Amino acid sequence: MEGMAEAVRDTDTPEDAVASIEEPVSLSSTIPAHLFNDIHPWYVRYGIPLYLTSIFGLLLASDLGSGVSAETTVSVDGQVIFHSVILTVSIFSSVSELWKTESYPLAVLIVITSIMWPYIKLALSMYAWVAPPLKRGGRGARRRERLIEVLDVLGKWSFTDIFVLMIMVVAFRSTLALGQTSTDVYIVPKWGFYGFVFASVASLLSTHLILHLHRKVIYPELYSNKGANNRGVSNKDDDSKVLVLPEAEFDNTDVVVADKDDAIAPLWIKMGLSFKEALSIVLLLFIAFALLGTGCFLTSFTFTYEQGDPSSSAYLYNTRDFSIANIGFNVRNAAISPNSFGIGFVQFFYFVLAVVTPLENIVVLFVLYFVPMKDRIQRMLFFLAEITFAWGAVEVMMISAIFSVKQIPDFGSGIVDTGCSTCYVVGAILRPTFWIYFVGAILNVFVTFWLFHRAHKHLYNDEKFFAKPSKCCWC
């Protein structure tokens, strides 16, 4: 068939819908942009751009506002007599402060992950919604799907600031004792930081929604309750909106449709994997779970505190050990306002990103591959696995910890300058047990990507929908 079918058209009967396949139309109408696709309700089509624009506004205001401060209190016999703010910075200005203290690697990390990437992600999300795919029909739709999948997976890197701040809050919380007088040092998150966290959360939620809506458009027969024919034409009556992909994009094999979607079996059997392949998946998931679960609770960091001249009898040296989980547990104790809602929210969010969701993702993948279910339920579970992987930020925590620990001495010497009589130096060491978490994080990422790729090919019939595979383009 030389011409292309009409992408979205109103139909009175199923027969009219099938007949519409023969009508040639222009390339641009094959897969329309979601903004102009009548399959979506008007409030969805225009609500998504408005939502993304609102996130941009919140993100910009948060980046320019007060992000974090370094504060001290002076107490005599346990009573606070003096409170001082040493330094207050926004997310933007924190980069220059890190640069001044010669924390160059950490400054670069913050620029890339917390300043550049959130805006790039929002821009690409807007592009994915308002612009049609550059390639024709099925292949273009699949490439656009891959772009959204990549945005969804990489959205977690906006949370780098959370992990860096949590480590800094715990590391710099200390008390300098001078007789009956003591000085307490705090790192305090401000409204700009909380706004940034909410903007990052909202941005990640937006790509979940866009990905779901995009798949409903390009795989209508897989989402239809009443089934569909082999070209994506709905069998519904009454003016239903129909997506019709061009004939040239399909091979001669009929697409598996919803009314045949009733086989109840584990995914690995449906995919035709051998017993050895299935066993290897079980072992890899078990090893990743064991490494991450164990690594979270083993001592990963040692913070050192030196006060006074090492040659003086008044010299004090102290160490504190923390696991990744203990960093979260000690946030309230390290905060100047331990009972505030903001600290509680960040503490909860830290555990969700670094501990709970990564382990949950592994469990979901195991259930997806090895529990007998219909394809429809497996597609829902696959999407849940994508969501848990998007929120499971073990690799982000891993990189943030390495950069933060290495830069704590430089950063500390820049914000706490007490003179030589009461010299105060904060140091940090990565313990060998940290690398258990490191290996678990790397293994988890590679295994998850591998399992996602194989599951998508079966659950969304990639080879049947698209006669030719995409070639490294996500547009």
Side-chain angles (χ1 to χ4, degrees), residues 274-288:
S274 67
F275 179 78
K276 289 183 178 179
E277 289 177 306
L279 182 60
S280 68
I281 293 174
V282 173
L283 290 176
L284 288 172
L285 290 175
F286 175 78
I287 292 172

Side-chain angles (χ1 to χ4, degrees), residues 198-244:
F198 280 111
S200 299
V201 169
S203 179
L204 190 51
L205 291 174
S206 72
T207 49
H208 296 337
L209 179 58
I210 292 173
L211 179 59
H212 171 69
L213 293 173
H214 183 75
R215 284 176 176 163
K216 287 190 70 173
V217 169
I218 67 173
Y219 306 113
E221 54 282 285
L222 301 181
Y223 283 87
S224 171
N225 291 328
K226 296 184 180 181
N229 65 29
N230 67 323
R231 292 296 179 263
V233 181
S234 173
N235 290 333
K236 295 180 181 179
D237 297 329
D238 304 328
D239 298 331
S240 59
K241 303 296 182 180
V242 178
L243 171 71
V244 182

Side-chain angles (χ1 to χ4, degrees), residues 153 156 361 385-392 395 444-445 448-449 452:
V153 166
K156 68 182 77 175
N361 174 248
E386 290 180 305
I387 292 175
T388 55
F389 185 64
W391 289 92
E395 63 273 37
N444 177 68
V445 170
T448 301
F449 275 126
F452 278 176

Side-chain angles (χ1 to χ4, degrees), residues 138-175:
R139 290 198 297 275
R142 174 62 182 129
R143 290 178 178 183
R144 178 57 55 84
E145 182 188 9
R146 285 181 175 174
L147 170 64
I148 303 169
E149 288 170 347
V150 169
L151 294 176
D152 204 39
V153 166
L154 298 182
K156 68 182 77 175
W157 285 95
S158 299
F159 299 134
T160 301
D161 249 11
I162 294 179
F163 295 120
V164 171
L165 180 69
M166 295 286 277
I167 293 172
M168 293 294 184
V169 166
V170 174
F172 285 96
R173 174 63 184 98
S174 56
T175 300

